[in-house]
Each structure stands twice: as structure tokens, then as C-alpha cells.
Amino acid sequence: MALTMRAAAAAAAGPTRGLRRLFSTSFVPPMNSPVPNPRQEAEPSTNLFVSGLNKRTTSEGLHKAFAAFGEVVQARVVTDRVSGFSKGFGFVRYATLEDAAKGKQGMDGQFLDGWVIFAEYARPRTPTPPPENNSTQYGRY
């Protein structure tokens, strides 16, 4: 009788428990788990952040690509100090908000130098806190 009660309890628990659940290849989150917030879009500005750049993309090439959508004040590809190649992102500054909106809409998801690039409004830099040690820069070796 005790054996049949154990078998009935195991059958009632179902296959969602135990090793089958542990080694399942599909993951279904619990119904009450919080959904992570998607990243909020930055406020419109004349400065665009461009990601997904080819390692061979130059600032001049970035300027030419975005100049088709308005007056570009500055285009800069962030490069590695040692190799000089692109780090894969850059910034484009337009003269007006309207030009920046056209550039963002026109170049987001487009190909540049064989790679798909993404354009979005740049976020302001967060200030870095000062160092916490009390030494001066002149005395450091």
C-alpha cells in the first residue's frame, strides 16, 4: 500500500520536477517574474552615436555617409591608441536637430563599409568621480 501511494504521489508531481526539469533544453520563465525594462531612448540632440562600424571605417568615410542627410559639423570614429583601427563606434554631430533626426532615420540599419550600422541619439557622459586617494599627481611614480 505504501508503494502505491508513493507511485501516485510521483505521478501527481508530473514530469516538470526532478531531473527532467533540471536538464530541460527549453526555459519558460515563471509567470510572476518581472520583465526587464528595455533601454530608454536618449533625448533628441544634434549628436548621434553610431555603432557597428567596420574596423577600417575612417572619420572621413563616416562624414561622407552622414552628409547626405544634412550639414555635418563633426564626424569622429573612436580608434584604438595602439593599432589605430576603429573600436567599432563613433559620433556624428549635426548643425540642427532636424538634420540629426534625418541622419538617424536615414542611416540606422544601413550598410557602411560592408557592415550594418546603428545610429541613435548620443547620451551625455556620466561624470567620473575623482580618485579617492590623497596623493598628488606629481608625486606618483
Side-chain angles (χ1 to χ4, degrees):
M1 171 114 176
L3 184 60
T4 58
M5 290 188 67
R6 283 188 194 161
T16 59
R17 292 190 160 203
L19 292 177
R20 179 172 260 195
R21 181 177 176 192
L22 181 66
F23 292 109
S24 173
T25 58
S26 62
F27 172 73
V28 179
M31 295 299 288
N32 58 358
S33 67
V35 177
N37 291 345
R39 193 167 179 178
Q40 299 292 330
E41 188 171 320
E43 291 186 24
S45 69
T46 57
N47 199 18
L48 298 180
F49 172 73
V50 184
S51 60
L53 295 176
N54 189 328
K55 300 292 181 196
R56 306 265 182 211
T57 301
T58 61
S59 295
E60 294 81 25
L62 191 64
H63 187 283
K64 285 180 189 176
F66 278 84
F69 300 98
E71 182 185 348
V72 175
V73 175
Q74 179 187 21
R76 185 172 73 97
V77 173
V78 178
T79 57
D80 183 59
R81 291 180 185 160
V82 177
S83 69
F85 289 127
S86 165
K87 285 192 168 187
F89 66 94
F91 295 92
V92 176
R93 182 176 299 276
Y94 279 98
T96 64
L97 280 172
E98 292 79 21
D99 289 345
K102 286 190 276 186
K104 177 183 177 290
Q105 186 176 14
M107 289 300 291
D108 190 31
Q110 299 299 315
F111 281 93
L112 180 64
D113 294 335
W115 288 41
V116 176
I117 63 169
F118 302 98
E120 60 185 61
Y121 294 115
R123 299 176 192 284
R125 280 181 112 170
T126 56
T128 56
E132 295 199 15
N133 58 5
N134 292 332
S135 65
T136 62
Q137 279 201 320
Y138 301 109
R140 290 174 33 187
Y141 289 100

